[in-house]
């Protein structure tokens, strides 16, 4: 029996937060019938499909922590960290995993990843492919500026080792053009597409998810807003009528095994973020403040009205022209705590925020249960696309996205989403889309139809088989060279 070929998938980062590389691994195992070794940092758990596939083997490296050295010299810490990561990665690729026929590596980070993979592929007579998600030097330039000597060295490193690969994927046509014209690299465009587990959620899936998230949404520690306060009123009313709390959530009610969405539910807006400088989260916060103030002005309400009384009126059958908005922000990252403190000081009456991290299994259900998605991704290079928007379309979720150079490769304005360049524009879009929610918001329903069509038109498996598999086979057989 012929021995199965092997592929190493390399991520110098948290594999659980690298969905595209997880999808590569699944496709390599399921569609190409290869043995797959994932070499990555631990941290967040990957999707259950990764853990349950017998052809995928996960090898976790320990993240390098040099906090003590950083206090003495940040430059020295960076050099030491890169050197240690280089040694660890080479050790894994050369000694701790079986011989790979091909190595597929995520870029960025470029330093020291590309050099380590190049050396390992040479020592083990393997081929290697780079999957260009973005450019590492542009991310470094966010904090140092493009003219900084460190950024210039990083650019040279990334370009030099990028040219030594046996093949390349990239995420947009704009990036493909940049690589060809200015880097001398021929890359195959492999668009991000949603896998099959991203789909619109059923009523039962929504109800069960809202039940699992009930405490995080309705009983957050130390937060009193239009969600936590109103839900307390609703719970008291339910107790008076002896309604089982488990049969009712903020958004849904189950009666005799039938599930209904509440007509007075808040509109659910989802945004996922890595809480990094290339996503200006303040735009969303400012838009939320504007929405809150403009709705108050439109309704000409008396500010002395207590919020509890305001929403008890809704339960009595009255409905406002504009709904409450609940923003659920998912993700981990360095600036999360700063923005959480900012959110606490906003004092909004019709908008609430919740920040959380969801499992890989719950995240698609949340997208499939939401009413609108928001993307704040602007791209350090201007040449990559936000994968979160792809996932949202897979769930039939329309999107409001920050406008930048190549975003129109993905978001078709007034078909599956809208673009904005300022907080004021985003506030205008929220007011327009949610007017008359939930039944009379025709513009939102039209965009949802467009998002459903976009999400169902192509899936990761078909995109991968058409564009990735041919290149991988060519590289393995030695018929392709950049």
């Amino acid at each position: 029996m012929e021995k199965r070929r092997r592929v190493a998938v390399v991520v110098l980062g948290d594999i659980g937060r690298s969905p595209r590389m997880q999808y590569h691994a699944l496709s390599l195992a399921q569609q190409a019938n290869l043995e797959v070794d994932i070499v990555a940092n631990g941290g967040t758990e990957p999707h259950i499909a990764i853990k349950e596939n017998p052809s995928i083997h996960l090898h976790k490296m320990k993240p390098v922590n040099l906090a003590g050295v950083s206090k003495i010299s940040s430059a020295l810490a960076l050099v030491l960290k890169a050197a240690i990561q280089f040694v660890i990665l080479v050790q894994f690729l050369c000694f701790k995993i079986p011989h790979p026929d091909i190595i597929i590596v995520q870029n960025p980070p470029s330093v020291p990843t590309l050099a380590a993979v190049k050396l390992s592929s040479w020592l083990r007579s393997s081929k290697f492919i780079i999957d260009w998600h973005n450019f590492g030097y542009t991310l470094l330039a966010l904090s140092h500026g493009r003219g900084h000597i460190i950024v210039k060295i990083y650019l040279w490193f990334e370009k030099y080792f990028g040219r030594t690969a046996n093949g390349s994927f990239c995420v947009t046509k704009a990036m493909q053009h940049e690589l060809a014209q200015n880097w001398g690299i021929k890359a195959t465009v492999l668009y991000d597409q949603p896998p099959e587990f991203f789909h619109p959620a059923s009523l039962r899936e929504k109800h069960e998810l809202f039940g699992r998230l009930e405490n995080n949404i309705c009983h957050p520690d130390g937060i009193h807003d239009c969600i936590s306060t109103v839900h307390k009123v609703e719970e008291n009313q339910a107790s008076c009528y002896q309604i089982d709390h488990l049969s009712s959530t903020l958004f849904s009610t189950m009666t005799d095994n039938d599930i209904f969405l509440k007509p007075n539910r808040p509109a659910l807006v989802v945004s996922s973020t890595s809480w990094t400088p290339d996503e200006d989260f303040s735009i969303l916060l400012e838009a939320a403040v504007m929405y809150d103030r403009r709705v108050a002005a439109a309704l000409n309400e008396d500010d002395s009205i207590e919020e509890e009384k305001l929403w008890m009126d809704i339960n009595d059958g009255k409905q406002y022209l504009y709904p409450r908005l609940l923003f659920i922000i998912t993700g981990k990252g360095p600036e999360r705590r700063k923005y959480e403190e900012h959110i606490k000081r906003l004092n909004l009456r019709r908008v609430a925020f919740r920040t959380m991290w969801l499992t890989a299994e719950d995240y698609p259900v949340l997208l499939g249960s939401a009413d609108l998605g928001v993307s704040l991704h602007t791209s350090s290079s201007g040449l990559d696309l936000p994968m979160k928007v792809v996932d949202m379309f897979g769930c039939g979720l329309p999107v409001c996205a920050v406008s930048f150079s190549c975003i129109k490769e993905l978001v078709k304005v007034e078909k599956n989403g809208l673009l904005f360049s300022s907080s004021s524009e985003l506030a205008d879009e929220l007011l327009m889309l949610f007017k008359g929610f939930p039944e009379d918001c025709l513009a939102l329903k039209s965009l949802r139809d467009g998002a459903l069509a976009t999400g169902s038109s192509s899936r990761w498996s078909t995109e991968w088989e058409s564009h990735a598999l041919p290149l991988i086979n060519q590289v393995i057989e030695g018929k392709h060279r950049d």
Side-chain angles (χ1 to χ4, degrees):
M1 184 175 178
E2 186 178 355
K3 184 179 178 182
R4 291 176 70 186
R5 293 184 182 274
R6 300 190 78 97
V7 176
V9 175
V10 178
V11 179
L12 193 60
D14 187 341
I15 183 60
R17 296 169 64 188
S18 304
R20 180 175 166 104
M21 301 310 285
Q22 292 185 59
Y23 304 160
H24 267 302
L26 286 170
S27 291
L28 288 162
Q30 296 171 349
Q31 295 173 255
N33 195 32
L34 300 171
E35 288 290 321
V36 181
D37 294 289
I38 299 177
V39 179
N41 290 345
T44 309
E45 285 296 304
H47 195 278
I48 192 170
I50 293 285
K51 295 186 286 185
E52 292 183 347
N53 192 302
S55 297
I56 299 177
H57 316 278
L58 186 56
H59 309 266
K60 293 183 179 181
M61 301 178 290
K62 291 184 178 180
V64 178
N65 188 347
L66 297 175
V69 181
S70 296
K71 294 178 180 178
I72 301 172
S73 171
S74 58
L76 177 61
L78 287 173
V79 173
L80 282 176
K81 183 177 181 180
I84 295 170
Q85 288 177 325
F86 179 88
V87 172
I88 292 173
L89 191 50
V90 171
Q91 184 182 29
F92 268 83
L93 293 176
C94 291
F95 302 105
K96 291 194 174 184
I97 67 171
H99 173 264
D101 295 281
I102 188 170
I103 302 170
I104 299 177
V105 57
Q106 171 185 295
N107 185 78
S110 315
V111 178
T113 323
L114 299 186
V117 170
K118 175 59 181 177
L119 176 61
S120 302
S121 67
W122 178 72
L123 291 173
R124 304 206 75 176
S125 300
S126 305
K127 307 291 177 60
F128 87 98
I129 291 175
I130 299 174
D131 190 14
W132 298 84
H133 296 193
N134 199 352
F135 296 129
Y137 84 95
T138 62
L139 290 170
L140 189 62
L142 290 175
S143 56
H144 292 81
R146 294 209 176 192
H148 197 285
I149 184 63
I150 294 178
V151 175
K152 291 181 179 179
I153 293 172
Y154 200 108
L155 170 59
W156 174 87
F157 182 99
E158 190 170 21
K159 186 177 291 189
Y160 175 82
F161 284 100
R163 289 171 176 166
T164 67
N166 301 100
S168 290
F169 298 121
C170 63
V171 294
T172 64
K173 291 180 179 178
M175 185 177 288
Q176 180 189 50
H177 179 78
E178 171 68 16
L179 286 168
Q181 293 297 312
N182 298 320
W183 294 54
I185 295 173
K186 181 181 178 182
T188 297
V189 177
L190 177 65
Y191 281 119
D192 285 321
Q193 299 290 355
E196 283 67 19
F197 45 79
F198 282 90
H199 57 78
S202 66
L203 279 175
R204 183 164 296 277
E205 287 175 321
K206 293 179 182 181
H207 185 72
E208 291 175 352
L209 176 71
F210 296 145
R212 290 195 295 274
L213 300 181
E214 181 86 355
N215 284 335
N216 291 334
I217 292 175
C218 299
H219 306 285
D221 292 335
I223 296 178
H224 302 281
D225 54 29
C226 65
I227 298 300
S228 61
T229 304
V230 174
H231 191 68
K232 187 178 295 184
V233 173
E234 292 179 344
E235 283 186 332
N236 291 337
Q237 291 178 339
S239 297
C240 292
Y241 292 100
Q242 297 183 332
I243 297 173
D244 183 359
H245 290 185
L246 296 177
S247 68
S248 180
T249 73
L250 178 67
F251 298 91
S252 57
T253 301
M254 184 169 68
T255 306
D256 297 328
N257 214 33
D258 291 326
I259 298 172
F260 305 92
L261 293 177
K262 293 180 176 179
N264 65 330
R265 66 187 183 273
L268 178 56
V269 185
V270 175
S271 182
S272 58
T273 177
S274 54
W275 301 101
T276 51
D278 63 341
E279 294 186 342
D280 186 358
F281 196 72
S282 63
I283 293 177
L284 182 56
L285 297 186
E286 291 168 4
V289 172
M290 292 178 187
Y291 177 91
D292 196 67
R293 291 174 178 172
R294 292 179 190 178
V295 171
L299 299 176
N300 192 26
E301 291 176 352
D302 182 355
D303 288 338
S304 65
I305 297 178
E306 295 182 1
E307 198 68 30
E308 293 89 338
K309 179 64 170 65
L310 191 65
W311 295 109
M312 284 179 66
D313 287 343
I314 290 184
N315 291 326
D316 289 339
K318 299 177 183 178
Q319 186 169 334
Y320 285 118
L321 188 63
Y322 297 100
R324 293 168 290 168
L325 298 187
L326 172 60
F327 288 91
I328 293 183
I329 315 299
T330 71
K332 297 178 180 179
E335 297 194 337
R336 175 174 170 174
R337 186 175 297 276
K338 178 184 79 172
Y339 281 111
E340 286 177 336
E341 292 302 317
H342 188 178
I343 288 169
K344 290 178 181 178
R345 298 192 297 268
L346 290 179
N347 194 30
L348 303 175
R349 297 188 64 199
R350 287 166 194 81
V351 180
F353 283 88
R354 300 290 183 267
T355 58
M356 61 184 70
W357 175 260
L358 297 176
T359 65
E361 292 71 44
D362 273 349
Y363 178 63
V365 184
L366 176 65
L367 295 187
S369 305
D371 299 297
L372 182 69
V374 173
S375 171
L376 301 168
H377 180 86
T378 54
S379 173
S380 61
S381 65
L383 300 174
D384 69 310
L385 293 172
M387 193 168 189
K388 70 194 76 177
V389 174
V390 175
D391 295 339
M392 290 170 180
F393 288 159
C395 294
L397 183 63
V399 173
C400 290
V402 171
S403 180
F404 63 94
S405 57
C406 65
I407 188 64
K408 290 184 180 180
E409 287 190 40
L410 180 59
V411 178
K412 310 302 179 184
V413 177
E414 296 185 355
K415 291 185 178 180
N416 56 21
L418 299 173
L419 300 178
F420 60 89
S421 299
S422 66
S423 54
S424 179
E425 287 184 7
L426 176 56
D428 289 341
E429 291 171 1
L430 294 174
L431 286 162
M432 183 269 291
L433 292 175
F434 287 119
K435 184 178 181 180
F437 181 86
E439 297 300 330
D440 299 324
C441 42
L442 299 182
L444 182 62
K445 291 179 180 179
S446 176
L447 291 184
R448 176 172 287 278
D449 291 340
L452 278 168
T454 301
S456 61
S457 64
S458 183
R459 289 285 170 170
W460 171 265
S461 58
T462 54
E463 178 77 9
W464 192 90
E465 189 163 345
S466 298
H467 298 95
L469 185 57
L471 175 61
I472 290 169
N473 286 334
Q474 288 174 18
V475 171
I476 289 179
E477 299 300 332
K479 298 177 181 178
H480 180 92
R481 185 63 175 85
D482 228 7

